[in-house]
Amino acid sequence: MSERIPVKNISPVKVHRPDKSKHDNAYTPRSRIYVRAVTGLLENVRRLMGLWFLGIFAVLPWINYDGNQAILLDIGAQRFNIFGLTLWPQDLTLLAWILMVSAFALFFVTTFAGRVWCGFMCPQTTWTFIYIWFEELFEGSRNKRMKLDQRKMDFDKFWRKTCKHISWVTIALLTAITFVGYFTPIDHLFIDFFTFSASFWATFSIIFFAVCTYGNAGWMREIMCTHICPYARFQSAMFDKDTYTVAYDSRRGEHRGPRSRKASQQQNQEKGLGDCIDCNLCVQVCPTGIDIRNGLQYECINCGACVDACNGVMDKMNYPKGLISFTSETELAGGKTEIFRPKLIGYAIVLVIMIALLVFEIMSRLPLEIDIIRDRNSLYRETNGLIENVYTLKILNKSQKLQHYTISVSGLDGHIFKGKNEVSVEGGEILTLPISIAINPYSLQETVTEFSFTLQTAGGEQEPVKVAEQTKFLYPTYEYF
């Protein structure tokens, strides 16, 4: 075999661990992470996005549309009401399209900007930072929280811890009730839960999700991102050299070390010092507790906290910003990031196609469905010289309003219709309607004659909806010929 697999030589990454003699937090692989507060552009963007999506989550179940809860995912009734659209188990393809669009949107965003979903929009991150905010409110800054935990229990520590956990439980409970409100009418749910009159499953669901929220955002935090979330494991398959991720410019930052503010950047460079002053703030503000200076790590959620912290230090040192920034491997190597690359374009094309197919599926969906069931007891029966077939029509009104329908038969000349040809069906209801079709046997030319039942909306100002379903009329005609 003459062909050889090309081998790329990769220099090992030098891991820099915090110096215990310089910093007050001793490094251990799994010690509690005390996240330090940070301010900056990315932090403001993350907070605004978190508040925006949190507001949407909290408000949506309270919105009414046309007299009904706008979004109600009623699992018991097997129907999802999404504003004016009602989805049934028969509409499973729509759910499949939505999931595929979400997946390719995630692939596209990850290929372009890394794990920005985790850092700016993931519920786990949003609720974790909310809990940290309450932690800072009652227990103080990072150093104060560390000293508070080292103290023995006294009244000051007791009331601070108590208030913190009460706020955590309150947030968890409100989150759980709001979430369950997407599956149960939320206006009654709030009253029933606090008056202890809610159903068993509603109460169980609220308590279950409240415990999960309290445990995930209050205690597990980064464990969810580093050990449980599968996204951290397969994200690297979507990365390439032009993916924007939070990265440390080692060429500019090394060798790191403390220095005087009075010394200029050029003077420090002459001493062999880079721009990194080894203040360790990038580690202290990281919610997963990693050191971004060690290179790309799967624990990084691209929240940008270390970017804001480092930029603040660079401002104080009168150094240019960007020692830690959203950049690509290509830019760190001195090249130019190629945005329009085949991989990203491929994801974009597939995403557009998926969205187009989803829109087409929704636009072409009819709010009416009919199912025809033949009588299983007998294929046919004779009545007064006529041949009669019996059918059961199941009419599903997929809309959310009362609809009137007319029923007709096409493709069976000379038939006699026995049953109601005008019916009314409530929104989201299924009507079972028995119908008989009779015909003179001499009018039949074949043993099996195909024909159609046609349903059409009657009345109303909107354009009528028409649905036809084909079935068969059976009779052994050879007896008459």
Side-chain angles (χ1 to χ4, degrees):
M1 299 194 46
S2 58
E3 296 185 0
R4 307 182 71 179
I5 300 176
V7 178
K8 179 181 178 181
N9 293 324
I10 301 177
S11 57
V13 177
K14 183 180 180 182
V15 178
H16 298 270
R17 302 192 187 279
D19 188 348
K20 297 179 182 180
S21 63
K22 297 179 181 179
H23 308 291
D24 54 0
N25 58 322
Y27 179 88
T28 56
R30 182 63 191 96
S31 59
R32 180 180 176 185
I33 297 175
Y34 294 87
V35 180
R36 181 170 183 154
V38 63
T39 57
L41 175 61
L42 293 176
E43 178 67 13
N44 292 336
V45 172
R46 188 194 57 75
R47 289 183 180 182
L48 289 175
M49 293 187 70
L51 289 174
W52 170 254
F53 287 105
L54 182 62
I56 293 176
F57 167 77
V59 170
L60 272 182
W62 292 99
I63 298 176
N64 284 337
Y65 181 84
D66 204 10
N68 299 311
Q69 186 170 320
I71 298 181
L72 181 60
L73 313 178
D74 194 341
I75 297 178
Q78 296 184 350
R79 64 181 180 187
F80 293 172
N81 293 335
I82 305 175
F83 289 88
L85 180 66
T86 302
L87 300 180
W88 296 83
Q90 297 90 331
D91 300 312
L92 187 62
T93 53
L94 275 178
L95 179 61
W97 284 118
I98 293 173
L99 293 177
M100 285 189 287
V101 167
S102 302
F104 277 96
L106 184 64
F107 297 161
F108 174 80
V109 172
T110 304
T111 302
F112 178 72
R115 292 180 66 181
V116 290
W117 158 262
C118 297
F120 289 84
M121 291 175 285
C122 177
Q124 172 69 21
T125 303
T126 302
W127 263 260
T128 296
F129 277 108
I130 291 174
Y131 273 43
I132 291 175
W133 184 86
F134 277 103
E135 197 171 59
E136 292 176 348
L137 177 65
F138 292 108
E139 298 183 3
S141 63
R142 176 178 180 272
N143 292 333
K144 290 181 179 179
R145 298 200 304 273
M146 295 172 64
K147 292 179 180 178
L148 183 68
D149 286 347
Q150 294 172 359
R151 283 166 40 189
K152 292 182 178 181
M153 182 62 68
D154 54 20
F155 178 77
D156 180 69
K157 182 176 181 178
F158 175 78
W159 81 260
R160 292 181 184 276
K161 292 288 185 180
T162 302
C163 291
K164 179 188 74 171
H165 287 286
I166 290 176
S167 63
W168 283 6
V169 171
T170 303
I171 294 297
L173 196 59
L174 292 175
T175 300
I177 295 176
T178 303
F179 181 75
V180 176
Y182 280 89
F183 303 89
T184 304
I186 194 169
D187 50 350
H188 299 294
L189 180 64
F190 255 88
I191 298 174
D192 292 345
F193 180 77
F194 289 107
T195 56
F196 304 101
S197 57
S199 66
F200 168 78
W201 287 112
T203 304
F204 173 80
S205 300
I206 291 173
I207 295 175
F208 175 78
F209 287 111
V211 171
C212 290
T213 303
Y214 175 81
N216 291 344
W219 296 97
M220 298 183 71
R221 295 186 179 177
E222 77 283 353
I223 297 177
M224 292 292 298
C225 303
T226 58
H227 296 288
I228 299 177
C229 179
Y231 182 42
R233 306 300 178 185
F234 66 80
Q235 60 164 331
S236 58
M238 291 170 276
F239 280 19
D240 55 37
K241 293 183 178 181
D242 295 306
T243 299
Y244 284 100
T245 59
V246 174
Y248 165 72
D249 189 351
S250 58
R251 295 189 305 173
R252 174 186 161 186
E254 301 299 323
H255 293 285
R256 66 184 75 163
R259 75 287 308 276
S260 171
R261 288 190 186 182
K262 297 179 180 179
S264 65
Q265 186 178 19
Q266 184 177 358
Q267 290 174 337
N268 290 323
Q269 290 175 352
E270 292 175 354
K271 296 178 181 179
L273 292 174
D275 286 352
C276 179
I277 67 173
D278 201 19
C279 63
N280 207 41
L281 287 181
C282 57
V283 179
Q284 295 177 13
V285 300
C286 179
T288 59
I290 65 170
D291 189 343
I292 194 63
R293 296 171 295 181
N294 292 336
L296 180 63
Q297 299 153 74
Y298 78 91
E299 297 94 341
C300 178
I301 61 173
N302 271 22
C303 64
C306 56
V307 177
D308 286 332
C310 187
N311 285 340
V313 173
M314 293 298 103
D315 277 341
K316 294 178 181 179
M317 298 298 298
N318 293 321
Y319 293 170
K321 295 181 179 180
L323 179 60
I324 301 176
S325 63
F326 273 92
T327 185
S328 65
E329 184 181 344
T330 302
E331 288 187 2
L332 289 176
K336 184 178 180 181
T337 301
E338 184 179 354
I339 297 178
F340 300 101
R341 51 194 186 273
K343 187 176 182 179
L344 194 63
I345 294 174
Y347 279 136
I349 293 174
V350 175
L351 179 60
V352 171
I353 293 174
M354 293 291 182
I355 293 175
L357 291 173
L358 173 61
V359 173
F360 174 78
E361 186 80 13
I362 295 175
M363 297 299 294
S364 60
R365 175 182 176 273
L366 294 176
L368 171 63
E369 186 172 309
I370 177 176
D371 188 18
I372 303 172
I373 303 174
R374 287 185 49 83
D375 186 5
R376 297 179 180 179
N377 294 325
S378 61
L379 296 179
Y380 66 93
R381 65 189 180 194
E382 297 184 22
T383 307
N384 299 326
L386 299 177
I387 305 303
E388 186 176 345
N389 281 198
V390 179
Y391 306 87
T392 300
L393 274 62
K394 289 187 176 294
I395 303 171
L396 171 59
N397 179 8
K398 291 184 176 181
S399 69
Q400 299 177 8
K401 296 182 179 179
L402 173 69
Q403 297 290 347
H404 304 282
Y405 302 108
T406 59
I407 306 172
S408 60
V409 173
S410 58
L412 192 63
D413 297 335
H415 73 275
I416 298 174
F417 188 95
K418 296 182 179 181
K420 295 182 179 180
N421 59 0
E422 292 186 3
V423 294
S424 298
V425 185
E426 292 287 345
E429 298 294 334
I430 300 176
L431 175 66
T432 301
L433 182 67
I435 289 178
S436 298
I437 302 296
I439 193 171
N440 190 317
Y442 292 99
S443 301
L444 299 174
Q445 303 297 323
E446 298 178 354
T447 303
V448 178
T449 304
E450 293 187 351
F451 70 100
S452 299
F453 282 101
T454 302
L455 263 72
Q456 182 172 329
T457 53
E461 300 178 356
Q462 297 182 351
E463 184 178 351
V465 177
K466 186 176 181 181
V467 173
E469 184 71 17
Q470 196 174 58
T471 187
K472 297 176 181 179
F473 190 94
L474 304 179
Y475 183 66
T477 56
Y478 58 83
E479 296 183 3
Y480 288 85
F481 297 97

